[in-house]
């Protein structure tokens, strides 16, 4: 009888396994792989499919790893959230297979947040009940309670502090925290992140710098940023060291340095380095476009002839790149938008540019959601 009771208790406790607060070394290496700059010769669908295939393979090996699932959701949902309903459905099915498992309660809530938020809150609270040491649900609850539709500053503070207690080595926060009126809380979170970044150079840590800088800047007026700027410059110097990986997370972080006095130089420097390392990347495309069109200042109050010349140089610079990089909707839209403004363009030239633009739009239907 005692043996039976023991196994019943053990089964009931199986959901209470402690959750790590950050990816393991092997998972970090897997998460770094999708940060390789995209090949812009491929369509958006093909680029996304490659990243999803990589993560699905990793999830097959570690099906309960919450961090692999988080990244999979992020890539599936994307910036336009076009595939969120599909992700919600997928994680509803996974939760049905793992009812009351805190990991799948959290993942289902993560997919739902912003669409079915009351149910997401209930599931996050249930995940915490099942595994009190699981920190990630607290961070997501804090983010939910920072939104205007569910605003509750006391709960934001409560859940952030619990997350930091459960995950003392984490470098996570959420973007909307920078708009909080609780500057003491922002300072606390910023200090927590800065302390834990240390010498980390993985993609999660590289991405955390942008959040850190935003939180530190939000605590002071624009004319009281000298200390922040000095500290930020030290961070940038560290990130430009040769041993730091050059990937999409590195590029995005250093491109966010726009409030430095000389911050506009950093985006150009890092973009050029990525372009050299990845000749088929968006950075390489951007560099090629700037090289082809410069100098071409916009002729303010220009004559019709000057305006036509400006737009002609724009499309003549971008149209060949549209052919070279058919996966870029941006460059195709630039060529199409420029050529229709050039009064000297022939119908055949306009037709060629528009055909390439429509092909790029069809290959990236979520890239321009205003299209029919």
């Amino acid at each position: 009888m005692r043996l039976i009771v023991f196994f019943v208790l053990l089964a009931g406790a199986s959901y209470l396994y402690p959750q790590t607060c950050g990816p393991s070394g092997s998972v970090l290496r897997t998460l770094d792989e999708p940060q390789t700059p995209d090949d812009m010769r491929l369509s958006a669908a093909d680029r996304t499919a490659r990243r999803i295939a990589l993560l699905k393979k990793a999830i097959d090996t570690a099906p309960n790893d919450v961090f692999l699932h988080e990244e999979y959701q992020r890539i599936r949902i994307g910036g336009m959230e076009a595939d969120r309903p599909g992700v919600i459905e997928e994680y509803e099915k996974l939760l049905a297979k793992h009812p009351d498992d805190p990991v799948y309660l959290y993942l289902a809530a993560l997919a739902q947040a912003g669409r079915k938020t009351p149910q997401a809150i209930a599931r996050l609270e249930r995940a915490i009940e099942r595994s009190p040491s699981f920190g990630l649900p607290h961070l997501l609850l804090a983010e939910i309670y920072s939104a205007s539709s569910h605003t509750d500053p006391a709960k934001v503070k409560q859940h952030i502090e619990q997350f930091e207690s459960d995950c003392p080595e984490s470098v996570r926060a959420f973007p909307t925290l920078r708009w909080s009126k609780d500057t003491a809380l922002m300072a606390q979170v910023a200090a927590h992140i800065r302390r834990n970044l240390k010498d980390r150079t993985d993609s999660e840590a590289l991405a955390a710098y942008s959040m850190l800088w935003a939180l530190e800047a939000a605590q002071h007026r624009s004319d009281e940023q000298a200390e922040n700027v000095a500290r930020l410059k030290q961070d940038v110097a560290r990130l430009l060291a040769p041993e730091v990986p050059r990937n999409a997370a590195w590029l995005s972080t250093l491109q966010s340095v726009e409030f430095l006095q000389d911050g506009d130089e950093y985006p150009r420097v890092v973009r050029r380095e990525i372009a050299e390392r990845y000749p088929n990347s968006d950075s390489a495309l951007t560099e090629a476009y700037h090289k082809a069109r410069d100098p071409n200042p916009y002729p303010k109050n220009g004559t019709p002839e000057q305006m036509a010349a400006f737009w002609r140089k724009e499309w003549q610079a971008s149209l060949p790149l549209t052919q070279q990089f058919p996966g870029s909707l941006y460059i195709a839209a630039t060529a199409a938008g420029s050529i229709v403004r050039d009064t000297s363009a022939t119908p055949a030239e306009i037709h060629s540019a528009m055909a390439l633009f429509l092909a790029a739009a069809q290959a990236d239907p979520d890239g321009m959601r205003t299209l029919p």
Side-chain angles (χ1 to χ4, degrees):
M1 181 64 180
R2 290 180 178 177
L3 187 61
I4 293 174
V5 171
F6 171 77
F7 281 118
V8 169
L9 290 173
L10 184 62
S14 63
Y15 293 129
L16 303 181
Y17 53 89
Q19 294 298 318
T20 56
C21 293
S24 65
S26 61
V27 169
L28 274 176
R29 288 188 290 274
T30 299
L31 296 177
D32 282 345
E33 291 187 54
Q35 293 295 328
T36 300
D38 282 331
D39 185 338
M40 299 307 294
R41 296 171 301 176
L42 303 176
S43 70
D46 287 341
R47 299 195 303 267
T48 299
R50 288 188 171 195
R51 294 195 295 270
I52 288 175
L54 170 70
L55 288 164
K56 278 189 171 181
K57 183 178 179 181
I59 288 171
D60 287 343
T61 303
N64 297 320
D65 190 282
V66 67
F67 304 103
L68 293 174
H69 281 282
E70 283 183 326
E71 183 66 4
Y72 170 78
Q73 284 196 19
R74 186 189 68 79
I75 292 174
R76 277 281 307 276
I77 292 170
M80 301 296 292
E81 300 202 355
D83 205 18
R84 186 180 285 275
V87 174
I88 291 174
E89 181 180 359
E90 180 176 347
Y91 280 85
E92 287 293 319
K93 292 178 180 178
L94 282 172
L95 181 58
K97 293 179 181 179
H98 306 275
D100 269 352
D101 185 310
V103 165
Y104 291 96
L105 284 164
Y106 166 72
L107 291 170
L110 181 63
Q112 291 177 314
R115 294 290 183 94
K116 300 180 179 180
T117 307
Q119 188 176 14
I121 291 172
R123 285 175 169 173
L124 292 169
E125 291 174 345
R126 181 62 176 158
I128 293 168
E129 289 176 8
R130 299 299 291 162
S131 184
S133 63
F134 191 9
L136 295 179
H138 286 289
L139 187 62
L140 184 51
L141 281 169
E143 183 171 6
I144 289 171
Y145 288 125
S146 73
S148 58
S149 55
H150 294 84
T151 183
D152 191 329
K155 287 186 177 180
V156 172
K157 180 178 175 65
Q158 170 196 337
H159 285 292
I160 284 179
E161 290 183 342
Q162 188 60 53
F163 170 72
E164 290 185 345
S165 175
D166 292 337
C167 301
E169 296 183 358
S170 177
V171 295
R172 290 195 179 196
F174 52 89
T176 52
L177 182 60
R178 67 173 300 184
W179 306 116
S180 171
K181 296 180 180 179
D182 190 341
T183 55
L185 182 61
M186 283 194 290
Q188 174 185 319
V189 173
H192 181 89
I193 294 173
R194 183 167 287 283
R195 181 172 62 251
N196 290 331
L197 279 173
K198 298 177 183 175
D199 298 321
R200 284 180 56 177
T201 58
D202 56 89
S203 296
E204 182 183 50
L206 293 176
Y209 277 97
S210 297
M211 183 74 66
L212 171 64
W213 296 334
L215 290 175
E216 290 178 336
Q219 298 170 46
H220 304 283
R221 299 184 332 189
S222 60
D223 59 347
E224 297 176 346
Q225 295 290 329
E227 184 177 344
N228 284 335
V229 169
R231 188 164 48 225
L232 188 149
K233 286 186 175 183
Q234 292 175 350
D235 292 338
V236 169
R238 188 180 309 115
L239 293 175
L240 290 173
E243 65 271 15
V244 178
R246 268 54 173 171
N247 57 25
W250 178 81
L251 174 66
S252 178
T253 290
L254 287 175
Q255 284 187 321
S256 72
V257 184
E258 297 177 353
F259 51 91
L260 275 174
Q261 185 177 359
D262 55 350
D264 59 338
E265 179 63 23
Y266 291 114
R268 292 195 294 270
V269 169
V270 299
R271 187 178 65 227
R272 287 169 188 160
E273 186 167 349
I274 290 292
E276 291 174 2
R277 291 171 180 260
Y278 301 95
N280 297 313
S281 65
D282 186 65
S283 292
L285 166 59
T286 301
E287 283 296 296
Y289 171 59
H290 286 314
K291 183 177 180 180
R293 70 177 293 276
D294 285 344
N296 192 34
Y298 183 80
K300 186 177 180 181
N301 299 322
T303 65
E305 293 76 15
Q306 290 173 324
M307 296 302 301
F310 169 80
W311 291 116
R312 188 180 309 117
K313 189 166 186 178
E314 287 295 303
W315 72 257
Q316 288 178 345
S318 54
L319 188 58
L321 295 171
T322 301
Q323 297 166 328
Q324 183 180 352
F325 298 96
S328 173
L329 179 55
Y330 167 75
I331 200 68
T334 299
S338 300
I339 202 168
V340 297
R341 292 174 171 85
D342 176 10
T343 55
S344 68
T346 68
E349 289 170 334
I350 294 173
H351 180 271
S352 175
M354 295 306 296
L356 289 167
F357 168 67
L358 289 174
Q362 289 170 354
D364 187 6
D366 296 325
M368 192 171 291
R369 300 301 298 282
T370 56
L371 289 175

